[in-house]
Amino acid sequence: MTSIAVAQGASVFSNPRAAAPEVPYGAQRSMILDGAGFDGAEAAIRAWPGYAPSPLRTLPALADALGLATLYYKDEGGRFGLGSFKALGGAYAVYRLIARGIAARQGGALPPPAEILAGRYRSEVADMTVTCATDGNHGRSVAWGAQLFGCRCVIYIHATVSEGRREAIARYGAEVVRVPGNYDDSVRHAAAEAARHGWTVVSDTTYEGYRDIPIDVMHGYGVMAREIVRQIPEPPTHVIVQAGVGALAASVCAAFWLAWGPARPRFVVVEPVNAACLYQSGLAGHPVAVHGDLDTVMAGLACGEVSPVAWEILDAGASAFATVGDEFALEAMRRFARPLAADHPIVAGETGASGLALLLATQAHEPIRELLALERDSRVLLIGSEGDTDPVIYRQVVGLDAAEVRR
Ligand SMILES: Cc1ncc(COP(=O)(O)O)c(C=O)c1O
């Protein structure tokens, strides 16, 4: 049975198709993301220059204020200097694409990242062009990966992507092209341009006939999930993951399912009220597109169409789908920046703060707490998917810049 609970600024429903905890990952669906794929991503990404696990913070005072036992925050703000977990996905897919191309030409196994980084295949890699559509962070990762491994890169952004986010992509040497419409329009534009010029699309979302590259992206994200599994003393009771197209959520869901089996946490997917495609798909029981300008301050989540592959995993793996209003995301950023008591100050961008936004919006709402089974002894994990990826917007919202928050 589907139960829905609505508070001011938030809405939650429990997924009637959620698999029971003891149902193994892959029992109902094909194992789209698998252990070997996560292993391969870990082996490659740990070899990149500057790799370090991102911190997993605990926030005892905030947990107490929210009526929870423990609050964990996986802080992706420092990931490879790119400001978000996305550094793991797009760049890994660029590496795999290049490595597959080399292996196909010369036969044998994929060359390891170190060989490509050392310039062994420089001229053939320089002939390749990768492209994608982005609302900021994915494009930054693809551009960085292209620069790191030495191929050309063209990135498409839609009408409302901020100038700061545009510049951050261009900094990695990519050509950045702004196109009219929303994120989903820019996805179609990138696909059409790639077909016209013979480029390769490195998308974080799957579509009809296009799955392998986004699956690489999702295996790349799994590095973050596996770090959490090693860092956390015991599995949390709940994890709240923000979703745009759902690739991050699906990756974390699959990785936790594989790692923890029946001890896996309740999995809550959160989206902005205006871009709630997973929420709507969850209600309908199949992928449903959300239209309009998808306007939200949570820029990374402004997506109207779920990734079908992500949907296959989340349809069974998500315990609940939720929406949250922008005002709570802004409030969450401020709360992270000015912590209670001895809690660690945290720099979280609008999208990175969306898990706390949901907790703030629902903390005093008993029906929602009940629906999510949130109790005094709950251990809740939030995915801090980005830091101040747009420092100008961050300062406007929080009244401090990142360096002042960390001081
Ligand atoms: C910082 C951040 N968090 C979360 C997401 C959501 O990821 P997905 O689109 O895979 O659901 C994005 C997407 O761009 C993002 O930039």
Side-chain angles (χ1 to χ4, degrees):
M1 197 195 70
T2 310
S3 325
I4 304 186
V6 181
Q8 204 183 350
S11 173
V12 177
F13 80 91
S14 61
N15 177 12
R17 293 171 309 283
E22 59 280 6
V23 172
Y25 174 67
Q28 293 178 321
R29 325 264 150 165
S30 57
M31 269 170 85
I32 304 169
L33 304 181
D34 57 20
F38 287 129
D39 287 346
E42 259 194 323
I45 292 173
R46 282 161 161 241
W48 295 355
Y51 171 78
S54 68
L56 180 71
R57 313 246 179 240
T58 46
L59 300 166
L62 185 55
D64 193 51
L66 291 168
L68 305 169
T70 315
L71 192 61
Y72 295 103
Y73 182 87
K74 178 68 168 167
D75 189 349
E76 288 294 302
R79 184 70 78 180
F80 284 116
L82 267 72
S84 87
F85 80 99
K86 287 255 158 183
L88 298 166
Y92 176 61
V94 170
Y95 155 69
R96 290 267 299 171
L97 182 72
I98 291 171
R100 272 200 300 265
I102 294 167
R105 271 188 297 278
Q106 64 176 25
L110 301 191
E115 282 186 13
I116 304 172
L117 291 171
R120 203 165 140 194
Y121 308 97
R122 188 169 289 129
S123 62
E124 57 186 296
V125 175
D127 284 342
M128 297 174 70
T129 301
V130 291
T131 187
C132 71
T134 185
D135 37 36
N137 293 326
H138 174 66
R140 201 178 294 190
S141 179
V142 171
W144 174 62
Q147 189 178 62
L148 192 65
F149 295 106
C151 67
R152 186 174 164 241
C153 181
V154 182
I155 302 286
Y156 294 94
I157 55 172
H158 61 88
T160 63
V161 173
S162 74
E163 203 37 35
R165 295 200 160 97
R166 191 196 68 76
E167 280 163 19
I169 299 167
R171 216 173 289 143
Y172 295 105
E175 187 185 325
V176 187
V177 183
R178 196 182 283 278
V179 295
N182 66 20
Y183 171 74
D184 302 303
D185 296 320
S186 64
V187 169
R188 282 182 276 272
H189 196 93
E193 287 298 289
R196 204 152 71 90
H197 299 290
W199 303 338
T200 307
V201 175
V202 177
S203 173
D204 53 357
T205 194
T206 53
Y207 41 87
E208 183 86 38
Y210 178 83
R211 296 166 52 110
D212 293 353
I213 290 174
I215 287 174
D216 286 340
V217 170
M218 287 192 260
H219 278 132
Y221 298 161
V223 168
M224 179 195 72
R226 285 192 162 187
E227 287 173 3
I228 295 170
V229 171
R230 288 191 202 100
Q231 289 166 319
I232 206 161
E234 62 182 319
T237 55
H238 296 73
V239 53
I240 304 177
V241 187
Q242 52 277 62
V245 300
L248 166 67
S251 171
V252 173
C253 184
F256 284 175
W257 208 328
L258 285 167
W260 285 323
R264 72 196 166 94
R266 270 172 202 276
F267 201 88
V268 182
V269 174
V270 66
E271 294 170 289
V273 172
N274 286 348
C277 55
L278 280 144
Y279 183 95
Q280 292 301 339
S281 302
L283 278 177
H286 55 86
V288 168
V290 172
H291 300 287
D293 64 6
L294 312 171
D295 189 34
T296 170
V297 296
M298 293 169 259
L301 310 184
C303 308
E305 293 175 31
V306 304
S307 170
V309 158
W311 172 252
E312 279 187 54
I313 293 169
L314 294 170
D315 185 35
S319 323
F321 295 95
T323 66
V324 72
D326 281 1
E327 65 279 24
F328 291 99
L330 301 176
E331 177 58 19
M333 291 167 72
R334 296 184 198 109
R335 292 282 281 267
F336 275 136
R338 295 187 177 80
L340 295 168
D343 278 1
H344 199 283
I346 283 171
V347 176
E350 304 86 317
T351 298
S354 46
L356 177 59
L358 181 66
L359 291 177
L360 292 176
T362 59
Q363 63 181 327
H365 198 276
E366 268 318 307
I368 289 187
R369 279 183 71 97
E370 232 168 77
L371 203 144
L372 294 176
L374 280 174
E375 285 157 21
R376 258 268 155 219
D377 59 358
S378 296
R379 304 180 300 276
V380 179
L381 167 67
L382 305 178
I383 303 296
S385 58
E386 66 172 356
D388 62 332
T389 47
D390 189 324
V392 175
I393 297 179
Y394 184 82
R395 195 181 168 79
Q396 279 165 7
V397 175
V398 172
L400 300 168
D401 60 31
E404 290 169 312
V405 169
R406 292 195 193 100
R407 201 174 290 148

